[in-house]
Amino acid sequence: MNDDVQLFQRIAEGDELAFEQVFHRYTPRLVSFIKKLTRDELIAAELIQETFMHLWIQREQLKEVENPSAWIYR
């Protein structure tokens, strides 16, 4: 988890590589989680895209996040 906090802090500073690492770390878990809820692969893909778009747009606020996993799943 500490690594994720550091990645979020780096993303908050505009680090695209950190963003890519978080994307690749969480996408497989999110696909599984969202597909169980929606039973639709297309909707799962769209929700994941929106999640990461939201993460990047609000990146400056990520310095405050203590639990990145909870932030992403929220």
Side-chain angles (χ1 to χ4, degrees):
M1 166 114 67
N2 201 10
D3 187 40
D4 288 349
V5 171
Q6 290 174 350
L7 286 171
F8 263 45
Q9 289 175 353
R10 288 176 43 204
I11 293 169
E13 296 169 358
D15 186 331
E16 293 178 17
L17 181 57
F19 177 83
E20 188 176 331
Q21 290 175 319
V22 169
F23 178 82
H24 289 295
R25 180 175 294 179
Y26 280 94
T27 296
R29 292 185 242 171
L30 287 170
V31 167
S32 176
F33 176 73
I34 295 171
K35 280 175 62 174
K36 286 179 186 175
L37 294 175
T38 65
R39 299 182 192 274
D40 188 317
E41 193 167 329
L42 182 59
I43 291 173
E46 289 178 9
L47 289 172
I48 290 167
Q49 181 177 11
E50 286 183 33
T51 298
F52 284 99
M53 184 174 64
H54 182 72
L55 185 143
W56 185 254
I57 290 170
Q58 296 196 349
R59 66 186 171 274
E60 292 177 4
Q61 299 172 8
L62 299 179
K63 289 182 182 179
E64 315 283 320
V65 175
E66 295 177 11
N67 187 341
S69 180
W71 189 95
I72 288 175
Y73 278 89
R74 176 184 52 88

